[in-house]
DNA sequence: CCCAAAATTTGACCTAGGTCATTTTTTAAG
DNA sequence: CTTAAAAAATGACCTAGGTCAAATTTTGGG
């Protein structure tokens, strides 16, 4: 796969969020300052404990943010999808990364160094507003996850996570076909905070109930409403 | 108990955080705009689902932020201690409260209405920096909690929570005596995401191991290092 | 296309911790 | 100080889901 150097002025990330305020001059500036890399599936973007030297911008692909517990067991705390910034939390609070990031698919990720990013924030105070709203959203999601893990049985959490993953894997609304969730049982287990064997068994159950279909490693949701029901999500 | 109307210019909250930038004029303004109320222990500050109309400022006391699950079971997601703002997450992301807040002790809480608060943020963009750093801290804590609940057995989580509570209950460094943690078993269970009976049993265990002492409802930590050890916290 | 290594599935078994019922203790109102 | 109601402790029991081991399937490199 070729590494395509994306150009900032035409980058979807600009439109999506944090950089929407930038004028042409600074967009070009950003373009020159960023370093863009191709990451193969399964590669690590940054490690827990390291000191951030800048910020990563996911241009294409999918990334998991996770921490490793004492016994070496991973816990996935969130995902990053194209258009979001990676490592912003640690950079902003000027502390070491408290989590690691690794690609779940082949990905293209840009790097913007700390001083340039802070320069932009100072020049465009409105970026802080975007950042605040981003953090609020993440905080809410984290709290949702606390409730979920603390109160729901694994089966419900699995259904819930599949519904969330379905949105993450949904190709930008273009394709008519249903999204395929492509994750190892281990990653799935590390989202739910359970064992891989339990994931296997429960996926089998959901399949038997015609809520999902499984082809090899890929999962397709066939009955969204049914899954919402087993996840006990009522909106 | 008398309701003392605290004055903003001398309020510790100003010094602590968000309002540290304000000039004398705006501090007086804030003083006139805020409404201060006394809340008896156990009373509700705001309810999940309601639309925020402003922000609360905890001047004195202790507040739990919690959500109620489908089966009516509470999950405490965090605490607020004097000097912190309540309901800032929902106000900033312009959505309904996703959690309720209730006092755990008699408390004094000020209310600042939305428009005035936003006016201040606009006038003092640096407040956003404070807010960002606050949100980063909370996000980290929330992610810590996810790992903890997902991976640690209840016993470890209890030890961990007691250590955190010990800091929360620590009177401003003045008193030499050890802080007393004063929470119902139910609240404790709702922090850990477990049953009250389990809390009872485990507290009894910790007491037998001379890690804590219990007088009535109040818990004192007698062996911090030992607790860190059972919590598997190694720093 | 082939094959070894890795991932997944399945079965057997076990335990942390949840639930329910009962007793004991604590609390707060009068 | 008394007492009823609430909270906590304790015991008995049970099950969701973890662990370990073995069989089966999938995958990616050559």
């Amino acid at each position: 796969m070729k590494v395509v150097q994306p150009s900032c002025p035409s980058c979807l990330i600009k439109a999506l969020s944090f950089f929407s305020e930038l004028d042409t001059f600074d967009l070009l500036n950003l373009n020159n300052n960023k370093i863009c890399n191709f990451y193969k599936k399964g590669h690590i973007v940054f490690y827990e404990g390291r000191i951030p030297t800048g910020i990563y911008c996911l241009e294409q692909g999918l990334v998991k943010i996770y921490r490793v517990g004492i016994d070496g067991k991973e816990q996935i705390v969130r995902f990053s999808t194209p258009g979001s910034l990676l490592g912003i939390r640690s950079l902003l609070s000027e502390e070491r990364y408290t989590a690691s990031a690794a690609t779940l698919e082949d990905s293209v990720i840009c790097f913007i160094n700390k001083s340039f990013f802070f320069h932009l924030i100072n020049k465009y105070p409105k970026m802080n507003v975007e950042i605040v709203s981003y953090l609020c959203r993440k905080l809410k999601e984290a709290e949702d996850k606390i409730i979920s893990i603390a109160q729901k049985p694994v089966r419900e959490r699995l259904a819930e996570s599949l519904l969330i993953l379905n949105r993450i894997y949904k190709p930008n609304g273009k394709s008519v076909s249903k999204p395929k969730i492509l994750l190892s049982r281990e990653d799935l287990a590390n989202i739910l905070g359970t064992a891989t064997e339990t994931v296997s068994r429960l996926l089998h159950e959901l399949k038997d109930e015609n809520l999902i279909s499984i082809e090899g490693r890929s999962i397709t949701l066939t009955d969204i409403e049914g899954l919402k029901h087993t996840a006990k999500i009522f909106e």
Side-chain angles (χ1 to χ4, degrees), chain A:
Chain A
M1 181 169 169
K2 229 190 293 181
V3 180
V4 183
Q5 279 291 331
S7 99
C8 292
S10 67
C11 173
L12 86 161
I13 289 166
K14 182 200 68 176
L16 269 182
S17 57
F18 306 97
F19 299 117
S20 56
E21 297 291 325
L22 270 57
D23 59 30
T24 321
F25 172 77
D26 279 314
L27 268 179
L28 282 172
N29 233 327
L30 177 59
N31 201 35
N32 296 330
N33 265 280
K34 73 158 202 293
I35 301 162
C36 228
N37 285 114
F38 174 78
Y39 290 75
K40 252 190 117 43
K41 173 179 173 175
H43 282 214
I44 296 203
V45 185
F46 55 75
Y47 283 96
E48 195 172 341
R50 300 285 296 275
I51 295 172
T53 59
I55 200 165
Y56 297 86
C57 209
L58 181 60
E59 152 82 13
Q60 204 185 102
L62 183 60
V63 169
K64 65 175 173 183
I65 314 290
Y66 63 97
R67 291 205 211 164
V68 179
I70 314 153
D71 52 351
K73 196 170 160 49
E74 244 180 50
Q75 175 67 40
I76 295 180
V77 290
R78 57 198 143 90
F79 292 97
S80 275
T81 50
S84 62
L85 297 181
L86 293 179
I88 190 170
R89 218 277 317 289
S90 300
L91 185 69
L92 289 174
S93 51
E94 309 252 18
E95 59 181 12
R96 286 155 190 278
Y97 289 121
T98 54
S100 305
T103 54
L104 289 169
E105 304 173 352
D106 291 354
S107 302
V108 178
I109 305 176
C110 302
F111 177 79
I112 301 162
N113 76 59
K114 184 172 162 170
S115 62
F116 185 68
F117 185 66
F118 279 149
H119 157 73
L120 286 180
I121 290 184
N122 282 327
K123 185 158 175 192
Y124 298 92
K126 273 207 171 178
M127 276 182 69
N128 265 320
V129 177
E130 287 301 326
I131 291 171
V132 163
S133 116
Y134 169 83
L135 289 171
C136 285
R137 213 161 47 241
K138 291 297 156 183
L139 186 53
K140 177 179 185 308
E141 285 169 15
E143 289 180 356
D144 285 343
K145 190 148 189 170
I146 291 172
I147 313 289
S148 176
I149 297 188
Q151 298 207 345
K152 294 187 174 183
V154 184
R155 194 184 138 89
E156 286 174 30
R157 263 145 61 204
L158 175 59
E160 190 177 65
S161 287
L162 287 176
L163 288 164
I164 294 173
L165 289 167
N166 200 48
R167 268 182 277 132
I168 289 178
Y169 277 88
K170 182 158 290 177
N172 318 333
K174 282 183 204 165
S175 134
V176 191
S177 69
K178 289 176 182 163
K180 287 183 193 307
I181 298 169
L182 209 60
L183 275 179
S184 71
R185 298 292 175 265
E186 194 178 352
D187 277 332
L188 229 26
N190 293 344
I191 298 170
L192 305 178
T194 187
T196 53
E197 294 93 329
T198 304
V199 172
S200 267
R201 282 184 251 267
L202 291 176
L203 281 176
H204 189 103
E205 269 185 45
L206 295 182
K207 188 185 169 189
D208 282 351
E209 298 166 34
N210 292 315
L211 298 170
I212 62 173
S213 72
I214 303 177
E215 286 172 80
R217 200 159 289 170
S218 110
I219 301 167
T220 316
L221 310 195
T222 48
D223 180 357
I224 303 277
E225 285 311 310
L227 280 168
K228 279 189 188 171
H229 187 260
T230 65
K232 298 216 176 121
I233 295 172
F234 316 101
E235 287 145 303

